[in-house]
Amino acid sequence: MPKLTRRSVVKLAAGSAAGLVLGFHLPPREARALETPNDFGSFLNAWLRIAPDDTVTVIVDRAEMGQGVYTALPMLLAEDLGCEWSRVRVVAAPADPVYRNVFLVKEMLSGGQPMGNTANWLVGKLARLFGQQVTGGSSSVRGAYKPLRIAGATARGMLIAAAARRWGVPESECRGEAGVVSHLGGERRLTYGALAAEAAGLRPPKRPNLKQPNEWRLIGQPLPRLDLPAKVDGSAGFGIDVRVQGMLFAAVAACPVFGGTLGRHDPARALAMPGVKAVLPLKDALAVLADNTWRAQQALAAVEIEWTDPPGPLVDSAAIEASLRAALDETGRIAEESGDVAKALAGSVRRLRADYEVPYLAHAAMEPINATARVMPDGVDLWIPTQAQEISAKAAAEAAGTSTDKVRVHTTYLGGGFGRRSEADIATQAVSIAKLAGAPVQVVWSRAEDMRHDFYRPAAACRLEAGLDADGRLLAWQQRLASPSILARIFPPATWIEPDGTAVEGAVKQPYAIANRRVSHTVRSFPVPVGFWRSVGHSYTAFFNECFIDEAAEAAGKDPLAFRLGLLGEAPRQRAVLELAAAKASWGTSLPPGRGRGIALHSSFGSHVALVAEVLVDATGLSVVRVVAAIDCGVIINPDTVAAQVEGSIVFGLTAALYGRISLEGGRVVEQGFDDYPMLKLSEMPVVELHMLESSELPGGVGEPVVPPVAPALCNAIFAATGKRIRRLPVTGQLTA
Amino acid sequence: MATKVAARWSCSVPRVLLVKLVVNGTAHELVVEEDMPLLWVLRDVLGLTGTKYGCGVGQCGACTVHVGGEAVRSCVMPATAVEAPVTTIEGLSSDRSHPVQRMWLALQVPQCGYCQSGVIMAAAALLRSTPKPTDADVEAALGNICRCGTYARIREAMRALARA
């Protein structure tokens, strides 16, 4: 992919006039020389260049990991720019504050509630200060929806202004569409390419008009993804495919016990092997450099390494699970409370209680963790499949002993992300090794290394208690959660006043109208790194909540769908997806023996999803026959991408629910590959039927929201088919044939 | 074809052999370790990075190429054991015109795309031997792991190709 450098963006910053729009009023910077000119053309703003030949280059600041942002984001910009879609191409943005994910911070600070103008302005300022350029939280389209359309409209305004000036006519008599500015009623036309250089020097319009939805030509269309051709012919460049002149390849083994360090090791055998250049000790890892990946791996395997365990007892799964269960006896920190739950429980006619638990989960993206780094006197180049450009740049700068403005981050395609690639550990490692090596180095982890050095989805336990009245109405809901805290590592201030929001999300702000409610959380820390895993806290709270709601329905003698609908109260969007999924799944009609349907409703990342899973349990075991999905994700930018994300999320969720478990022994992760951390295969794929609700609401996220309801829909279906409640994941091993 | 070159090495250093490989129609003469997998010869020696590394132990299928037209997981096949021409994803067509590639684009099958070189090569080999595969044929031949979960579209694409 052609390079866009940070210097180009800086030049833009130095030259652009002040304006309302992000990317138009960048703080003044030191002027720098222009990078080698290329044919990308003039910057209209930080996301758009137009070349004389009318090529429209959209600078996409979010990582493409299969969720289609390299198409959806350009669609937003191109729509209001009014260019020909066939002219659009994409480059990855460098690391730069202008590309910060303001939306995510705003969402966190506002708690997802709408804000007044002043609050919005203030939060925006804070977001710009504290935000990061990061792809995650299902926020790329949500965050770009207004800004990129405005960026396109603003650029169109500048192009029109340039044409109007040239022709000596009022701007109001000109229009820009299909890549051309024309003058009403005349034959005068100028292409965007012809106008771009001039337009780039003009003041952006303050309040550009955005197209109305009924004028959209791109948004809402299932446009083929721009990156897919390269992904069917082998030419797409992932991080592992980067090739830099003089590059060495590094295989790395880090201490398998978390917190341990590198002890004695004998490099002699490795150094004698063909192509091996160096054996480099790091504090907690050993790197072997060679002239190809395999030689580095072979040589690493030939080194006998002694590791030094960290002090204290070494953790194992039994101890972790016991600790989490014991935590359920504690009151915990309140995350949400209403009414008087203790009193309501005491006064219920029927009480029920159940304990649930889930294990650590690995990300296991198909492309193993890797990065390529080159440390030179004038700066650091980092080629990396990353979700977090600025965090990576900062880590690289620290590792190289330089400043962030001397780091150039080149984002490649990602062979899966799922939250794993928002961590900077590989950036630190690759740059450290490259600096020691004095040459460019590509670090590629083995599959075992990747699986054993993850930032796992936390293990969690939950105790749920519900109280029903004589009519089977749910009066009281008490929920105690116990888990490690992700934000305790990433952003501790978020845990000072309230429990870690990422640990309780999905358990709080439930749409069910239950008068007496208490949700609390107890942190239990273990020396196992935890991080963001696709849908984060929702990945287990939906399992806990939607399974226990089913238990409450059973106790009330009510149908699970009717029970939920009866509780929904003022929640029209949730009601709509629930009813739609149920209707399309023929909920309530009879099934042959051994078959069962389970339903689950969950809202997350701005979207509402209902799933009905149908399973068959017979002598051969469990099979998932069909999943019917209904999703309300607001305005849909590209329906084909949404469909793909729904299908893929169901696979992701089923894999986790059926098989996923990371276990620990002696302080180290046991699992090391696809044989002991199994993945769903094609032969196990259920039929998926997807129904998308039409909506004019603001876009909701799509990358994560379908994952959470998969496990509860599955387990509720298993109950319907067998009468057995699954309260612990993974399912494997719990159903005897 | 592999020819032994050097006779005397210490036991901790692997034997190195001269191997003649035909890859995507081009002949190469290479000197490689006896046990160096074809995957790494393709990626790191020949610079054909379209074939991917996912596990290195033959479990995921990301490394699938054709050897003599048959699907082979190249991470567990030593290059020195290759006795027939090799086709990688880069050699499947020069212009994305192979029926599998066309169908993959028509149905927008890939998501992140990392596993897809292997899936496409496995699919192409299956269709060569079984032009009208049943669902069961497809499931048996396409055991590739796709973490993004494109299985529904893979299945649909193969059904369409079987009908064609």
Side-chain angles (χ1 to χ4, degrees), chain A residues 2-46:
Chain A
K3 275 195 306 195
L4 173 77
T5 65
R6 226 186 123 262
R7 290 192 213 170
S8 317
V9 178
V10 167
K11 170 74 167 57
L12 157 72
S16 69
L20 288 174
V21 180
L22 307 173
F24 290 102
H25 64 179
L26 303 165
R29 290 173 203 278
E30 208 180 355
R32 298 188 199 195
L34 243 190
E35 259 303 284
T36 311
N38 51 40
D39 58 1
F40 287 14
S42 312
F43 280 91
L44 278 290
N45 56 56

Side-chain angles (χ1 to χ4, degrees), chain A residues 168-184:
Chain A
V169 301
E171 288 177 32
S172 56
E173 289 178 10
C174 302
R175 48 179 296 182
E177 192 56 69
V180 169
V181 178
S182 57
H183 182 224
L184 289 170

Side-chain angles (χ1 to χ4, degrees), chain A residues 66 224-225 231-233 240-241 243 293-295 363 446-447 640 644-645 647-648 674-675 680 685, chain B residues 33 35-37 40 43-44 49-50 52-54 59 96 101 108 111-112 114 143 147-148 151 153 155:
Chain A
R225 275 177 47 191
K231 288 173 176 178
V232 303
D233 69 6
I240 203 175
D241 303 321
R243 294 293 180 264
T293 318
W294 182 76
R295 284 177 164 174
H363 293 82
S446 66
R447 174 55 54 189
D640 195 66
Q645 287 303 291
E647 293 155 13
F674 298 122
D675 50 354
L680 204 77
M685 181 70 195
Chain B
E33 287 89 307
D35 54 347
M36 181 165 182
W40 298 111
R43 285 188 60 83
D44 291 355
T49 56
K52 303 304 184 197
Y53 166 67
Q59 287 168 356
R96 299 188 279 266
Q101 290 170 315
Q108 297 279 284
Q111 287 187 26
C112 85
Y114 191 78
R147 188 64 170 132
C148 296
Y151 300 129
R153 294 191 181 201
R155 175 185 285 159

